[in-house]
Amino acid sequence: MIYLDHAATTPVPRAVADTIYTVLTEHFGNPSAQYPMGLETKKQVELWRRTVAKALGCESRQLFFTSCGTEGDNWAIQAACWQNRRLGRHIVTTAVEHSAMLEGCRWMEQQGWEVTYLAPDGEGVITAQQVLDAVRPDTALVSCMLVNNELGTVYPIQDIARGLAGKNSQTLLHTDAVQGFLKIPFSAKTLGADFITISAHKIGGPKGIGALYIGPRVKNPRPLLPGGGQEGGLRSGTEATAQIAGFAKAVELRTEGLEGKLRHMAEIKAYAKEQLSAIPDLVFVGRSDAPHILSVSLVGWPSQNIVNDLGSQGICISAGSACHQGKPSQVVAALHLPKKTAGSVVRLSFGPETTREDIDACVQALRRHHDTRMPML
Ligand code: PLP
């Protein structure tokens, strides 16, 4: 199998799976239990938290485990809007967010909030100025992703944070960094966001675990799950110890020689671009800044057919975001591409394990698809 869908999810290294298994079978104590196995697990959870927090560049006490990136995004919306509920009922976000954010914002609209969805240019770019221009005295939350999951475009969060301080110092800033964490260099300390969402399964960790960074400007954050008091009383529920351990192990493995891994992915992307440019009717879609994501359109050949054809040959790529199977992607729609181009977009995404041979096989299969199938759009 040739796996070129690392933005959807990533393979779990054996060492991560072994860690999870050991916690499940041997260190299974409830961290709230008062006997040694419970106390020991509690201590371990704090060590695992420290590992993830260090990689994100924050203090352990600022990092709260969640069940996924989707939960982190939704919690950030709720917490920010709760804190600023007397400031106003306006949210600024972008039209190219993941549906975790977009649907979370739509839910707020149903509660009477007003949401401004900023449109990107034809390359997927949104400038800090564009974001700041949309901020009003009643803006409770600005949420802009760090790296777009379909295009790989990186957004200027640090500039937005700086500008926000002058425009409306009470407005809170959230960034969905699910595709940015350990893919582009950044640190919670210097980024300037009040909330940062991350998710383990994009970096070699298990599915079902993520984290939300909550910064010092968030006073008395609104608990997501009131209950037994875990996660500082903000997100109750017995800690998912095995997943947390797997998350920390994945972070540990990914951060070892991280610069080299990022360089490798960037080289793989450059190689893919070079090889793909020889395919007739193929165009690149969006500005890809991140090293691991590249979208292209085989103009005229429907993306779902391409994905199915390559899939039947054991090559995994995706037609836009994996979370939108069967529905047109909002990111591609926001680019206002010609219909034929938009209907033919596929995403290739890479990991540290991706080889040039993987790219060669994918490029050959795409070429074959172009040469042997009739265009239908
Ligand atoms: N945000 C972005 C940018 C993503 O790419 C994804 C997953 O694809 C998510 C949020 C949702 O993360 P999770 O699958 O952990 O809920």
Side-chain angles (χ1 to χ4, degrees), residues 280-285 296-306 332-333 335-346 369-370 373-377:
D281 298 307
L282 184 140
V283 296
F284 295 99
V285 175
V296 299
S297 172
L298 193 59
V299 181
W301 281 261
S303 35
Q304 200 54 55
N305 293 356
I306 303 174
V332 172
L335 301 181
H336 296 293
L337 300 170
K339 210 169 152 208
K340 261 170 118 175
T341 311
S344 307
V345 175
V346 291
H369 187 88
H370 172 273
R373 307 286 179 102
M374 291 293 283
M376 286 167 66
L377 294 172

Side-chain angles (χ1 to χ4, degrees), residues 7 68-70 73 98 145 149 176 178-179 199 201-202 323:
C68 56
T70 300
D73 284 350
H98 188 271
M145 68 203 319
N149 49 303
D176 173 339
V178 167
Q179 295 291 350
S199 179
H201 75 103
K202 309 293 186 182
C323 304

